Amino acid sequence: MSRLDSLIKRFIAQRDCLDHTATLVADIPGPIFELGLGNGRSFDHLREIFPDREIYAFDRSVSAHPRCIPDADHMIVGDIRETLNYCLPRTGGKAAMIHVDLGNGDPTYGLALTAWASPLVASRVLPNGVVVSDAELDLPDFEKLPLPDGVKPGRIYFYRAPSTLSVEG
Ligand SMILES: C[S@@+](CC[C@H](N)C(=O)[O-])C[C@H]1O[C@@H](n2cnc3c(N)ncnc32)[C@H](O)[C@@H]1O
């Protein structure tokens, strides 16, 4: 499969999981965390499907399309390994949904990402909240959710947090 085909399939998988998540977290009040603003494409989609939620975007710098940059209160700039740990006073609490989109296509970077992001993400999502991730995460207590129809396993990772998680940070 060409890299173009692979990219298109990954984008479709990402969009379908995000859309499905909007239904899954409909009854879980709380903000949405976008880890990796990048160009702002998925942030822009999240704004469409979660029009009434606070959406916080995290990135080490802001280089998104000018129409896809969150306002200053919702843009958390810095290394996510640090900012995600300390974001709760600003976000008002844990997230109903975390979208992890931090990969750069390098498999070694991907392994490192899994190692550092897994415990952080687990500590910042609400009970029964949902995690959509471009990298496989090590979340042993989380339920692996079935992927939407047509999405091949390994293209995107989809988890639901246990109901026993703490609401507080
Ligand atoms: C694949 S891009 C995100 C694409 C974006 N979601 C979109 O749809 O346009 C990955 C982004 O993650 C950011 N990133 C990766 N590791 C990071 C880290 N440790 N801290 C902060 N930002 C990070 C990069 O700066 C980059 O902008």
Side-chain angles (χ1 to χ4, degrees):
M1 184 187 304
S2 74
R3 289 192 57 223
L4 178 61
D5 283 333
S6 172
L7 182 69
I8 290 167
K9 286 182 189 296
R10 199 173 68 73
F11 279 162
I12 290 171
Q14 185 185 57
R15 184 207 53 201
D16 289 356
C17 282
L18 295 179
D19 287 352
H20 187 39
T21 301
T23 315
L24 293 176
V25 302
D27 295 330
I28 306 174
I32 306 297
F33 292 176
E34 164 79 331
L35 306 188
L37 176 67
N39 185 267
R41 273 185 292 255
S42 48
F43 169 72
D44 195 37
H45 193 71
L46 289 170
R47 286 196 296 204
E48 273 193 24
I49 60 175
F50 292 106
D52 302 322
R53 301 268 186 160
E54 303 269 356
I55 304 175
Y56 292 89
F58 296 68
D59 208 300
R60 55 167 60 96
S61 62
V62 182
S63 56
H65 184 283
R67 293 210 183 96
C68 303
I69 298 175
D71 63 56
D73 288 341
H74 293 84
M75 182 70 230
I76 299 180
V77 180
D79 192 315
I80 291 165
R81 282 171 281 206
E82 295 164 355
T83 54
L84 194 55
N85 246 330
Y86 294 98
C87 69
L88 295 189
R90 181 143 161 209
T91 62
K94 296 184 179 185
M97 192 278 250
I98 299 183
H99 177 219
V100 182
D101 195 14
L102 298 170
N104 66 5
D106 184 279
T108 306
Y109 181 85
L111 287 175
L113 176 60
T114 299
W116 68 257
S118 301
L120 262 180
V121 166
S123 73
R124 290 294 172 258
V125 68
L126 284 165
N128 295 316
V130 169
V131 177
V132 176
S133 176
D134 65 336
E136 186 165 19
L137 297 178
D138 186 14
L139 300 171
D141 299 332
F142 285 49
E143 177 191 358
K144 276 192 177 164
L145 290 170
L147 294 167
D149 283 349
V151 175
K152 207 171 141 194
R155 262 190 223 299
I156 195 139
Y157 300 89
F158 204 21
Y159 308 91
R160 191 198 280 276
S163 58
T164 49
L165 276 190
S166 158
V167 175
E168 305 297 327

